[in-house]
Structure formats: structure tokens, C-alpha cells
Amino acid sequence: MTSWMRGGVEPDGGREREGAALLEGLTGPQREAVLHGEGPLLVLAAAGSGKTRVITRRIAHLVSRGVAPWSILALTFTNKAAGEMRERVLHLVGGPESRAARGLTITTFHALCSRLLRKYAEQAGIKADYTIYDSGDQAALVKKVIEGLQLSTSNFPARSVLSAISGAKNDLMDAEAFASQALDFSSKMIARIYSGYTKALRTANAVDFDDLLLLTARALQRDKAVREECRGRWSWVMVDEYQDTNHAQFLIASLIAGESGSPNFCVVGDPDQAIYGWRGADISNILEFEEHYATARVITLGENFRSTAPILRAADTLIRSNKRRKHKDLFTSREGGELPGAVLCRDERHEAEIVVGWLKAAHEEGERGGVPWREMAIFYRMNSLSRVLEEALRGAGVPYTIARGTAFYEREEVRNALAYLRVVANAADAVSLGRIVNVPTRGIGDTTMGRLETFAADRGLTLLEAMREASDVHAAAGEKGVAGRSVASVRKFVEMMDGWTGAGTFLGEKMAGSLAELVDRVVKESGLERMYTAQAATSKSDTDLERLANLGELVSSARQFELEYDPSSDPAEGPAGDGEGAEGAVRAAPPLLALLRGYLESVALVADADAIDPSQGSVTLMTLHAAKGLEFTAVAMVGMEEGLLPHSRARESEAELEEERRLCFVGITRAMRRLLMTAAKYRTIRGMQERTIPSRFLAELPPDGMNVSDQSDTYADLAGTGWDSGDEGEGAAMRGGRPGGSGWKPAVAASPRRHSTPMPGLAGEFPVGALVRHPQFGLGTVKSVQSGTNARATIAFQDVGTKTLVLEYARLTRV
């Protein structure tokens, strides 16, 4: 019996002909991978090299050579990827009803494990009729466990605790093993929660998603009969995206395939696209494959069928800076293509304008036909960067969608902050009050709120007014009263709200200052910032870090609204001179309240944007992580700055910096024909403009292979800090992404303009270096000036720090 008959039947002539047809159109390396027979195989598949074609044709070819379909197991990570792969294989072997497809297993790791646990429940220590808890179920259960241990959910947020437990399970650590390694107080408490959570799951006859991997790996590892039965069923094992496997997935795949000898184990992946280390993926699984399987054959797929040569050259030059990788020459047989662009912008709003203009130009170009909206994308490292882009796209009438995420103002943390602001603006808004009264947790539960709502309804009060009378509610007879322990919590909440509004009347002196300052106070004093900071510190996940960034971006959005606010354009202000009636009352409200109401209205109207004809689709906005596996004709990558890409966490280790570089590589290789990368010279963070440093990755791109443009200097800058000025210090950091860098120098770019002539208008009245006075902020020195519409000045005030003000409304005087 030949190797092709292992678990199968002798191939006939028809199948031989089918097998030959499956090789048509393949490159040499692709053909080698498809034809490889028994023994371990590592396919290093570069971005856009046709790896899915190789996997599906390899499966179909095995079947055509007599391998029984039920003996083939192909694993991937998402239901979508598994579905597409299964559909393509079934098409190749004659359709879903074909005998050649019977028993074929193409699925995800989690789906496979769920199936195995039903069969081997006893060996795994669970019952076969278990329930799988989703994230909401998990959060509710772990919260009960935390409260049962008399621990604070503020100090141990459910989401953060679950993140820590998930990491432990992916490393195959049960509660006992986790406890044995817990050294500090926080880890020991999480170990107690982990233990209680596990017991609660078993009591409920439930498992979570991580249990599916953990329990399956343990059953395979500890029970020889389970291993042998699985190996007897699947004698050909394939894993796609192998660089993304964590320890549990690595163990499951290798135990089924066989740990020693020469198993029929084929893995496909690319170390240069390993970008999920933060969620447990271990790049060493693919880098050390040949150490685990000494007889492994390695086939490299280096030809790219997606991108033009200039884009591919940029990606290849960048990734060569990484050390932990398996080198492969990236190339394409497609000639021509325009050079990728890199633009240094003034700030994030200018960046958004440039990107939107670039997209529109590509969409509207003449004779060749424009690029459809659906074939364009904008990538960013942090979700918080989408807000300004969304506003620019809406303003330009460009259709867009947020992929694998939520529009900025619909994100949980943003909605929570806005709910606080809506209660500040409208004390009768019971819906918003109900959303945030116990977020963060402050001991005001559903029972208390229910009794307060009844009290308010009986007396014709708003819910907030009823909360002010919490003591009276507590004194109410029978079960209708608020529990004594809740009264203090309710009173403290009301005092916090009154602190923002001036005792609830909006007439007190406390309702003063800027809109951005009010939003910043609410974010901080409400406890939202503290809550998400605690979550981020515990979980160290991108999601929780982005929640904090989004709160800061909300402050920036309030500042932008305040700078652009024109009272004369607000219909609620009423006709000039009309001080009577309802409109007059609105106009009589303190300026800050009017600003807040206008801001909340502008946010609410975002969802009411005019519908755009969807016939040509829409531009896709997404994070770089979400972009993996996709491709677009035109791609813009924004926020190419130190602290964003690479993320600030990359300062901690070389390994994290290399993962950030791989993330940038993934973004570049999504582009098929056009690529634009942008950095902002200044970016607004928590309402304040801060100077940035262009990403070091820009300095690692081929200098003769990029169209670089410096468009940041529409107003004069501080001496010695200009773009490519030739100065040392900060100027050097700008050029190289870090002091002493080799330099990201424009191929053809104008040098920074200096103060050769006075700036026009108000900008000319407040030159750099001028001493000025502000009625609220006091004395300050002008550091930079931007002329034109809404001319602005950045001023370092002696008492309150640096602020950027619109000169028309700033009430500045020269000293």
C-alpha cells in the first residue's frame, strides 16, 4: 500500500486527471506544497502569496489521490475563514453532496474542541450536556464570585479579572497552578476569584471559551486513549495562520498530529504577520517548528500577487529590521505602480483633510475610472483616532463604515461619559441617569433605583430630585424605603452632580470655565477614568487602553467644538435682541451650559447624517489588527507617530517593538495599488495640542522608494525644531523618529518657512515670543501661531500651562 492510500483507497484514472487539474495555474513553490506527501511540512507564506489557494488545493489533491476525506483535519481561527475554506474545497472535490467530501473536517479550534469535549466529557471532568457561557454570562458570574468573596468590584473589575483568567487558561494554568505562582496581593486575590469562578462554572454545568481549549488540551495530554482515538480519526492535520496559535492550540494540534516521528502535519503561516502576542499568541510556535519536527520540509511562498512592486518593496525593507523572523525574499511579477506616499501634516484635522482629499481624488480620477469607495480603507493603531476622520468624511460626503468596531460616539466608555453630561445638561433625563448612576459601581443597585423611581412618580418629581430626598425615601414605611446603607451612596452621587452644575441650578459660580474642562472634570470625578485605568492596569489589553484613549479624545472633541462654536448660527439662541419667552430663557442660560447643550446636540445629530447612496459601497475604517487577512485597492495609514505606532508599550521590550513593526508591515501589505501614510506634527490629547515625533518605522522605509511630503509648516515654528531643518535635538528626532536616527527626509519637500515677513491679520498681532495677558489664564508667552481662518496661538501661561486659543475669541492683550 502506498503512502497516498493511508486511510483511503487506490486512486483511479479519473481522480488522477482531477489531481492534475488542481495543479493548473500554480507557481513552482505552490505546486510543491500541494504535492508534498507524508511527513511534516512548514509553508512560510508571505502576505498575498496565495496561501488559501495552496491549502484548499492541497486538501483536494489529497482526496484525489485516495486519502479518505474523514481522515483530514484543517484548523483555522475564525468561522468566516473556515467557512470560505470549506466552500472552496467542496467546490474542488465535486460539491457538498460528493462522496469525496464526506467526513471532511474544516473548522476552528474552538468548534473542534467543543465537539471533542462532548465526546470526552468524562475524561475532561465535565458533563456532556454543558453550556458554553458567552462574555456577558462570564462577566455576570465572575462579578457574583467577587462579591461573594467580599472583594470590591472597583478594585477587581470583572472584565479585568476575566482577562487575567483567560491568559492563564491559554497557558494551560488551572486555578491551582495560577495560585501557586501568585506572589503579590492582587495576583493572590485573582487566584481566589479564579478558583471560585471555576467552581461556579462547574456548579452551573458550564464552560467558557477558554475552557474549550484548556479542557481539550488536558484530556489529550493526560489520556492516552483519547489521543489514540483522535490520531486514528485524523491522520492528516493542517493548521492555517500557525503564527497566531497560543500554547493551548499548539498543544492540541501537535498532540493530534503526533509529537514524534514524521506525522502528516502541515502548518501554514508567516512570522512577519504575527501580531497577536498581546492576546497569547506565541510566535515561537512557527519559528521553532523545525526544532519540534526535525524531518520537516520548509517551502517558502515569496511571490506576492496582491501589491505593486513599490508597495511590496516598502514592506520588505521595513520588516528586515526585525530579528525574530524567517527571511524570505518578497517579490512580484507585476511591473509598475506608483510610489507609496508619506505626508507630515500639521495636526489631526489637517491629517484627516489630506486623507479624505486623497481618497476623493482616487475615487474621481478620469480616464482609467476611479477607485470605488468599497475598495478603500483607512487604518489606525488606536480606535480613538477615528473620531476626527469620521467628521472629515461626513463633511466631505464620503460614505464610510467602521469595521469590527463601533462608531466613536457609540462606544461604551464614550456613551457613559456622554450620559453624565446629558444629566448635567438636563436633570430630568432619567434614561441617562439610569445608565450611569452605578457606573462605576457605587452601591446604588436596581432595588434602590426602583424604589426611588416609585417615590418620584408618587410625588411628581424627577428621578434626580427624588435622589436628593433619599433620606425621606429611606424613612418610607415597609419595603418601599431605600436601605440605610444606600442613602449615603445616593447623597454622595447627588453632591457630585451638584458640584458640576452649581447646586443644580446652573446659576452658581461653579458652572464656569471651558467646555473641555467640564468634560475633563466629569470624566475624572465620575470615576470613569479611574475605572478604565484599573481595568487597563490589570488586563494590559489594547481594548482597555483604547477606552482610556477614547475618553481623552472626547475631551478633545469638546475642545474642538468650543473653538469652532458660533452662537449666531445656533437657532436655539433666538433672534438678536429677543429676550422674551422660551428662546430668551435659553439664551439667558450661562454660556457654558449653552455650549454643553450645543455640543450634546451636535453629537446626537451625528447618527442623523444624510443617507448616502450605498451603490458604490463605503470606505472602511478599522484598526490595523482588524485589517489582517484583508486587501484594498487604496489604503491610508494614519497616526504614524511614536507612542501610536509603535505603541507606547513598545518601549518596554524589543519583542513588543518587533510586533509593532509586524503590525505596520501587515498594514502596508493590505494595499494593492495605492498607499498613503501620514503623521501629524501636533496631535490633540485630552484637549491639549502636543508635539509629536514621527514613527521610527517611517525612517525604516526605502528613502528612494517613497513620495515624501512635508505639509506641516503653514505657520512658522520654533527655531531648531523644524522638519528636516538640519538642526540637532528635537529636529533630529523629527527626522529619524528618535535622536540620532538615520532620518526620514523628504525626497522633494520644501524646507520650513521662517519668520521672514509678518503674518497677516490677528496672527500678526501676536508674534512668537510676545508676552500676552488673558483675563482668566493670566500672563503667558506665545510659542507658535497659525494664521488663516480661525487663526490660533499656542501660549505657555505661567500659572495654567500651555493652551491653544482661537485669537478671534481669546480676549488676549499684548503686554
Side-chain angles (χ1 to χ4, degrees):
M1 183 177 291
T2 67
S3 63
W4 289 109
M5 294 179 57
R6 186 175 176 179
V9 296
E10 184 70 40
D12 58 26
R15 283 184 174 177
E16 291 284 0
R17 287 190 295 273
E18 291 174 8
L22 291 172
L23 302 178
E24 292 180 2
L26 298 180
T27 65
Q30 288 177 333
R31 186 185 180 95
E32 289 180 41
V34 169
L35 290 175
H36 177 76
E38 289 186 326
L41 171 66
L42 169 61
V43 179
L44 292 173
S49 62
K51 70 178 180 63
T52 303
R53 168 187 283 195
V54 168
I55 295 172
T56 54
R57 293 210 188 183
R58 175 170 168 77
I59 294 172
H61 192 264
L62 288 174
V63 173
S64 75
R65 297 298 301 269
V67 173
W70 50 260
S71 68
I72 299 173
L73 170 64
L75 294 169
T76 188
F77 283 83
T78 67
N79 290 322
K80 180 181 178 182
E84 291 177 351
M85 192 180 297
R86 188 183 305 112
E87 183 177 344
R88 290 172 69 169
V89 171
L90 293 179
H91 174 73
L92 291 171
V93 299
E97 303 303 323
S98 169
R99 182 185 174 195
R102 193 170 303 165
L104 182 64
T105 306
I106 302 176
T107 188
T108 65
F109 273 97
H110 286 90
L112 172 70
C113 292
S114 176
R115 195 178 308 173
L116 291 177
L117 286 180
R118 298 289 181 192
K119 182 176 182 179
Y120 301 115
E122 183 178 349
Q123 293 90 329
I126 58 175
K127 298 177 182 178
D129 59 345
Y130 64 82
T131 298
I132 300 175
Y133 272 6
D134 63 19
S135 57
D137 299 324
Q138 294 174 50
L141 185 60
V142 83
K143 184 177 179 181
K144 288 183 179 179
V145 172
I146 293 169
E147 292 171 346
L149 292 171
Q150 297 184 328
L151 296 173
S152 168
T153 52
S154 296
N155 295 331
F156 296 94
R159 188 191 306 274
S160 300
V161 171
L162 282 170
S163 178
I165 293 174
S166 176
K169 288 184 177 182
N170 287 334
D171 285 336
L172 300 181
M173 295 174 61
D174 57 18
E176 184 177 351
F178 186 84
S180 68
Q181 296 187 16
L183 301 177
D184 58 83
F185 173 79
S186 178
S187 296
K188 289 179 180 179
M189 292 303 100
I190 292 177
R192 291 181 61 194
I193 298 169
Y194 186 0
S195 179
Y197 172 64
T198 301
K199 292 176 182 176
L201 280 171
R202 299 300 168 262
T203 299
N205 190 25
V207 299
D208 60 22
F209 289 114
D210 295 312
D211 279 333
L212 295 175
L213 300 178
L214 170 64
L215 296 176
T216 300
R218 285 172 57 180
L220 286 166
Q221 194 174 35
R222 298 176 180 179
D223 196 302
K224 182 179 179 181
V226 172
R227 283 198 305 277
E228 290 182 346
E229 283 190 30
C230 288
R231 291 174 183 174
R233 163 67 194 273
W234 295 298
S235 52
W236 298 83
V237 179
M238 302 180 202
V239 181
D240 188 22
E241 303 287 6
Y242 193 64
Q243 76 280 350
D244 293 336
T245 53
N246 59 30
H247 183 57
Q249 290 159 334
F250 160 77
L251 198 62
I252 291 166
S254 60
L255 286 173
I256 293 176
E259 295 178 278
S260 59
S262 298
N264 298 325
F265 189 20
C266 169
V267 301
V268 183
D270 182 9
D272 290 338
Q273 297 183 70
I275 60 174
Y276 295 119
W278 53 274
R279 70 181 189 192
D282 188 351
I283 192 176
S284 64
N285 290 343
I286 191 168
L287 292 177
E288 298 172 4
F289 185 82
E290 295 161 89
E291 296 179 23
H292 291 288
Y293 303 98
T295 61
R297 184 178 180 188
V298 180
I299 297 175
T300 299
L301 306 181
E303 183 173 358
N304 181 286
F305 300 96
R306 175 189 300 148
S307 305
T308 59
I311 292 174
L312 195 61
R313 183 188 174 208
D316 187 39
T317 304
L318 172 75
I319 203 62
R320 286 172 183 259
S321 295
N322 272 8
K323 296 177 181 177
R324 293 196 71 198
R325 61 187 299 261
K326 287 180 176 290
H327 178 70
K328 51 192 172 298
D329 292 322
L330 303 183
F331 63 95
T332 178
S333 57
R334 299 170 58 184
E335 297 181 357
E338 63 185 53
L339 295 181
V343 178
L344 180 66
C345 314
R346 294 191 299 273
D347 54 28
E348 67 273 14
R349 296 180 64 196
H350 184 220
E351 177 182 57
E353 292 171 5
I354 286 177
V355 168
V356 171
W358 182 76
L359 294 174
K360 290 187 72 174
H363 180 68
E364 298 167 357
E365 66 180 0
E367 297 178 358
R368 288 181 297 170
V371 180
W373 295 126
R374 65 177 178 273
E375 295 180 17
M376 302 181 181
I378 304 175
F379 300 156
Y380 35 76
R381 178 63 176 85
M382 302 285 284
N383 272 311
S384 59
L385 297 185
S386 77
R387 180 188 67 84
V388 177
L389 292 164
E390 290 180 59
E391 292 176 354
L393 289 164
R394 282 197 304 271
V398 176
Y400 72 92
T401 55
I402 304 288
R404 299 191 193 180
T406 308
F408 181 80
Y409 293 111
E410 292 299 313
R411 291 166 185 156
E412 174 195 306
E413 61 279 9
V414 175
R415 285 172 60 87
N416 286 337
L418 289 173
Y420 274 105
L421 293 170
R422 289 191 175 103
V423 177
V424 170
N426 176 15
D429 187 347
V431 173
S432 294
L433 179 59
R435 179 184 178 91
I436 48 83
V437 70
N438 205 37
V439 178
T441 303
R442 49 173 62 91
I444 308 176
D446 293 341
T447 301
T448 296
M449 291 305 294
R451 292 171 180 172
L452 285 168
E453 288 169 356
T454 300
F455 183 83
D458 290 344
R459 288 162 177 74
L461 304 173
T462 66
L463 185 54
L464 192 57
E465 288 170 341
M467 294 180 72
R468 286 199 174 89
E469 299 181 27
S471 296
D472 293 339
V473 185
H474 169 60
E479 294 296 321
K480 295 182 179 180
V482 172
R485 62 180 178 276
S486 299
V487 173
S489 298
V490 172
R491 184 179 297 118
K492 187 175 181 180
F493 176 84
V494 172
E495 290 173 353
M496 177 181 69
M497 299 298 301
D498 288 348
W500 298 329
T501 65
T505 64
F506 295 103
L507 299 177
E509 294 181 357
K510 291 185 178 180
M511 195 61 181
S514 74
L515 178 62
E517 288 170 346
L518 173 64
V519 176
D520 192 48
R521 280 187 63 194
V522 168
V523 166
K524 290 178 178 176
E525 295 173 14
S526 66
L528 289 176
E529 183 177 67
R530 184 168 58 252
M531 178 180 74
Y532 291 120
T533 298
Q535 290 182 10
T538 304
S539 69
K540 296 183 179 179
S541 73
D542 277 8
T543 299
D544 288 324
L545 287 169
E546 287 181 358
R547 292 186 190 281
L548 285 172
N550 287 336
L551 290 177
E553 186 65 14
L554 187 67
V555 178
S556 297
S557 75
R559 180 174 183 79
Q560 179 179 325
F561 177 86
E562 189 171 21
L563 290 172
E564 297 177 345
Y565 181 63
D566 180 5
S568 66
S569 67
D570 186 355
E573 290 294 308
D578 180 6
E580 302 298 326
E583 288 188 344
V586 171
R587 191 174 62 247
L592 182 52
L593 177 57
L595 270 175
L596 175 59
R597 286 172 172 162
Y599 173 64
L600 292 173
E601 180 179 309
S602 72
V603 170
L605 291 176
V606 165
D608 297 328
D610 294 337
I612 302 173
D613 182 5
S615 61
Q616 292 196 76
S618 58
V619 177
T620 303
L621 276 65
M622 61 172 62
T623 64
L624 285 159
H625 282 102
K628 188 169 178 289
L630 303 177
E631 60 182 30
F632 298 90
T633 300
V635 167
M637 293 171 58
V638 302
M640 296 292 299
E641 299 144 30
E642 292 290 307
L644 289 177
L645 186 67
H647 192 278
S648 55
R649 279 208 316 259
R651 301 189 190 106
E652 298 175 8
S653 71
E654 188 66 23
E656 292 204 26
L657 177 61
E658 289 206 355
E659 178 152 324
E660 292 292 305
R661 189 177 284 110
R662 292 193 293 268
L663 189 58
C664 185
F665 172 83
V666 165
I668 293 173
T669 53
R670 301 309 95 194
M672 299 169 66
R673 284 171 39 201
R674 298 180 177 183
L675 174 66
L676 175 67
M677 309 172 81
T678 62
K681 193 173 187 179
Y682 293 90
R683 194 168 292 278
T684 306
I685 301 183
R686 298 200 72 88
M688 301 299 295
Q689 271 203 337
E690 295 187 6
R691 181 69 177 266
T692 70
I693 300 175
S695 170
R696 69 190 70 194
F697 300 153
L698 293 170
E700 295 171 358
L701 298 173
D704 59 341
M706 302 288 296
N707 276 327
V708 182
S709 173
D710 177 9
Q711 301 185 32
S712 67
D713 195 64
T714 58
Y715 57 94
D717 201 351
L718 290 173
T721 62
W723 172 259
D724 194 30
S725 63
D727 300 325
E728 296 303 322
E730 189 177 355
M734 287 289 293
R735 295 193 306 278
R738 56 195 183 280
S742 60
W744 176 42
K745 297 185 178 181
V748 180
S751 298
R753 294 200 301 270
R754 300 298 181 194
H755 279 302
S756 56
T757 58
M759 302 183 83
L762 284 171
E765 297 179 19
F766 300 98
V768 172
L771 187 64
V772 296
R773 184 187 302 278
H774 186 274
Q776 180 181 350
F777 304 139
L779 289 174
T781 303
V782 177
K783 294 298 183 182
S784 65
V785 183
Q786 178 182 352
S787 62
T789 305
N790 291 327
R792 307 178 188 191
T794 299
I795 303 168
F797 290 101
Q798 296 177 3
D799 298 327
V800 296
T802 302
K803 296 182 179 294
T804 301
L805 306 175
V806 175
L807 294 176
E808 184 176 357
Y809 307 109
R811 296 172 292 167
L812 292 173
T813 56
R814 290 280 298 271
V815 176

